[in-house]
Amino acid sequence: MLILHLSDIHFRKMEVETAQDPNSFIRNEIKRDAVTQCKSLGRPEVILISGDIAFAGHPDEFDYATAWLRELSEACGSSLDKVFVCPGNHDVVRSQANRNMVQHVHNAIKAAGNPTAYISGQFRDPDARRLLYESLDNYNAFAFQFFCDLLAPERTIAKRDVPLNDGSILRFWGLNTAFVSSSSDRQGDLFVDEASFQIPREDGVVNLAVAHHHLSWLRQSQELEDHLNDVAAIQVFGHVHTNRIAREVEYIRLTASAMHPEREEAPYEPGYNLLDVTVEGTGDNRYLRIAAHVRVWQNAPGGFRAKQVRGSDVWTHSIKLEPWTRPVNAPPTKVVLDAPNGSLGTLPEEASAMNQLRKVGLRFYQLSFSKKSEIAGRFGLLEDEDINQPDYERFRRVFQRAHQRGLIDDLAEAIRNAEKT
């Protein structure tokens, strides 16, 4: 399985699609280099983005991100439905996060003796959790098209299953480190919620955990590090704009370069990664083989090149997996829209049905608000309880109900007809 990994893209409303965009050249070079790499490595099965898609959480920034990611994915032989995202601090609308009432909740969390338990209590309060998540509404509207949108208390982690070559599952967990983010961010003063400490180990499943903020930015850094080291063979972080790879006995931890760092940063080193993940062996002798291709920008002459380790262009690692054998009579594919933690997922055998559902979701996302509302109303998929929910949550519930009532094919046909008008 090939994973194309980007972080800290920082699309700015005032710059994108203008002649004065200082990142358009680098963005084009990343696309050209990724296309070249994918010709030899294969098409990406997942396009992983570890936060900071936008710069100020503006809808136009996310719209541009959607268009550019579609262009990138198709150029690499993949498709937009392969995108998996988690939020970063620049995906937060800071004018909302900086409001007095929101800051009051943030400060109460920071002052709590047990902030993890206190956060759980705030998530149970409708007013408090709305204050904590409202600044991520624009991000969630963007992430909805990939079924990565988040809403406390039940859906605070994005989740996706992708089959590995031996029939086992690589399970992606997208953590939210940005719900207490604002202009007051300080290193060591951000948080994850209780669900981030409950990632389970399962037979035939390899966990990949991705978060925007590096562990050093979290108040619960040691606790989270200990948990991830136990459960997640692959760990991915962004935010610090510095590429690092730590290879330990039971995990590999990758910290990413920024795709669009500030020009004043020293060194100025845009970058991205490609992770080639394979299971080798069977039964009691299974190993997860990871080949990380770290691509970094070189100046004078300009171009992307491999970051080397001991003379090699590839950072390799091997992790012993627990024994597992694929069942002889594996169950058929089944899409699960109400998986644990409120996420969308699949049973662990195949993910093709989920891929098809994401394709329908992408097309639904592209429709205007009025067309989405008309289709949802026509099939009776909106209910009174949805009135006070943000738009992305209302339309997610449309999909859940369409699936539960066997209306996905009818919904897809209505979307096709709406696209023609």
Side-chain angles (χ1 to χ4, degrees):
M1 180 196 305
L2 185 66
I3 302 166
L4 172 58
H5 171 226
L6 308 169
S7 193
D8 296 82
I9 307 176
H10 301 152
F11 285 119
R12 295 188 193 223
K13 182 181 186 302
M14 69 177 66
E15 293 174 352
V16 292
E17 296 187 303
T18 73
Q20 302 306 315
D21 183 351
N23 294 307
S24 61
F25 176 76
I26 286 293
R27 196 156 55 245
N28 185 62
E29 289 295 304
I30 284 178
K31 184 180 75 171
R32 287 170 55 85
D33 190 70
V35 168
T36 299
Q37 295 300 310
C38 289
K39 284 179 180 177
S40 61
L41 297 174
R43 69 181 180 89
E45 287 296 325
V46 177
I47 299 171
L48 180 65
I49 308 176
S50 49
D52 278 6
I53 296 97
F55 182 78
H58 194 281
D60 289 353
E61 296 170 345
F62 289 116
D63 287 346
Y64 187 85
T66 297
W68 188 79
L69 288 169
R70 184 187 300 277
E71 180 183 321
L72 173 70
S73 61
E74 292 177 354
C76 292
S78 188
S79 54
L80 189 60
D81 60 286
K82 304 298 186 184
V83 170
F84 184 84
V85 297
C86 69
N89 53 295
H90 280 283
D91 298 316
V92 168
V93 178
R94 292 192 178 182
S95 60
Q96 294 180 353
N98 291 344
R99 289 179 301 161
N100 285 339
M101 287 302 296
V102 179
Q103 287 296 300
H104 176 77
V105 179
H106 287 190
N107 291 333
I109 291 171
K110 294 174 183 178
N114 184 343
T116 307
Y118 189 83
I119 288 165
S120 295
Q122 296 303 292
F123 281 177
R124 288 190 290 270
D125 180 279
D127 295 329
R129 69 175 178 247
R130 185 68 192 129
L131 289 171
L132 287 168
Y133 265 71
E134 188 176 15
S135 61
L136 284 168
D137 277 357
N138 293 339
Y139 164 82
N140 275 320
F142 162 80
F144 163 69
Q145 63 186 315
F146 312 117
F147 296 154
C148 292
D149 51 301
L150 305 170
L151 188 65
E154 296 301 322
R155 201 174 67 249
T156 59
I157 299 178
K159 180 180 169 185
R160 183 178 299 176
D161 288 351
V162 183
L164 287 161
N165 55 290
D166 69 340
S168 61
I169 286 295
L170 183 61
R171 179 164 293 161
F172 290 75
W173 300 85
L175 311 186
N176 182 1
T177 60
F179 63 91
V180 188
S181 179
S182 70
S183 296
S184 300
D185 288 357
R186 298 292 182 271
Q187 188 168 358
D189 241 7
L190 294 174
F191 301 86
V192 291
D193 67 292
E194 183 63 61
S196 299
F197 302 101
Q198 307 305 322
I199 298 173
R201 289 184 284 204
E202 294 185 27
D203 293 342
V205 175
V206 175
N207 290 320
L208 183 155
V210 55
H212 176 65
H213 289 93
H214 187 269
L215 290 164
S216 62
W217 277 76
L218 302 176
R219 181 79 64 84
Q220 315 114 308
S221 59
Q222 190 61 63
E223 183 184 359
L224 183 62
E225 180 178 7
D226 290 344
H227 179 61
L228 294 183
N229 291 351
D230 284 341
V231 302
I234 305 175
Q235 304 169 23
V236 179
F237 299 93
H239 187 65
V240 294
H241 301 188
T242 303
N243 60 73
R244 294 287 186 271
I245 294 183
R247 294 173 290 182
E248 302 295 339
V249 173
E250 294 187 338
Y251 65 87
I252 182 170
R253 180 181 299 145
L254 187 151
T255 306
S257 297
M259 180 173 147
H260 290 158
E262 296 292 339
R263 287 281 174 174
E264 304 81 49
E265 290 185 25
Y268 173 73
E269 193 176 62
Y272 74 100
N273 306 300
L274 290 151
L275 303 179
D276 205 348
V277 182
T278 308
V279 176
E280 295 181 355
T282 59
D284 294 343
N285 293 295
R286 297 173 64 241
Y287 291 85
L288 187 70
R289 310 289 191 189
I290 302 114
H293 303 257
V294 181
R295 306 294 295 174
V296 293
W297 180 253
Q298 171 185 283
N299 282 313
F304 279 91
R305 58 178 174 82
K307 180 174 182 176
Q308 292 194 335
V309 54
R310 296 179 179 176
S312 173
D313 288 350
V314 186
W315 298 65
T316 59
H317 194 42
S318 180
I319 299 170
K320 182 76 162 62
L321 297 176
E322 294 182 352
W324 179 80
T325 301
R326 182 173 182 170
V328 175
N329 298 315
T333 300
K334 178 182 178 183
V335 178
V336 180
L337 289 169
D338 53 356
N341 201 39
S343 61
L344 294 153
T346 60
L347 290 179
E349 293 307 322
E350 297 292 344
S352 58
M354 194 65 222
N355 289 340
Q356 291 303 315
L357 193 61
R358 280 198 296 273
K359 291 179 188 296
V360 176
L362 281 167
R363 291 167 50 215
F364 186 68
Y365 172 86
Q366 296 296 326
L367 297 178
S368 66
F369 177 86
S370 60
K371 288 183 178 179
K372 288 198 283 271
S373 299
E374 189 279 324
I375 291 172
R378 189 195 320 167
F379 291 105
L381 297 172
L382 286 171
E383 299 183 0
D384 290 345
E385 65 186 41
D386 304 331
I387 291 176
N388 294 324
Q389 297 296 325
D391 291 344
Y392 69 89
E393 180 63 17
R394 285 200 294 270
F395 292 128
R396 167 182 272 271
R397 294 181 180 191
V398 165
F399 264 82
Q400 289 176 323
R401 292 174 187 136
H403 171 69
Q404 292 163 356
R405 300 170 191 177
L407 295 174
I408 289 295
D409 289 342
D410 296 320
L411 190 67
E413 179 63 25
I415 292 169
R416 281 193 291 270
N417 291 333
E419 290 170 337
K420 298 174 183 177
T421 61

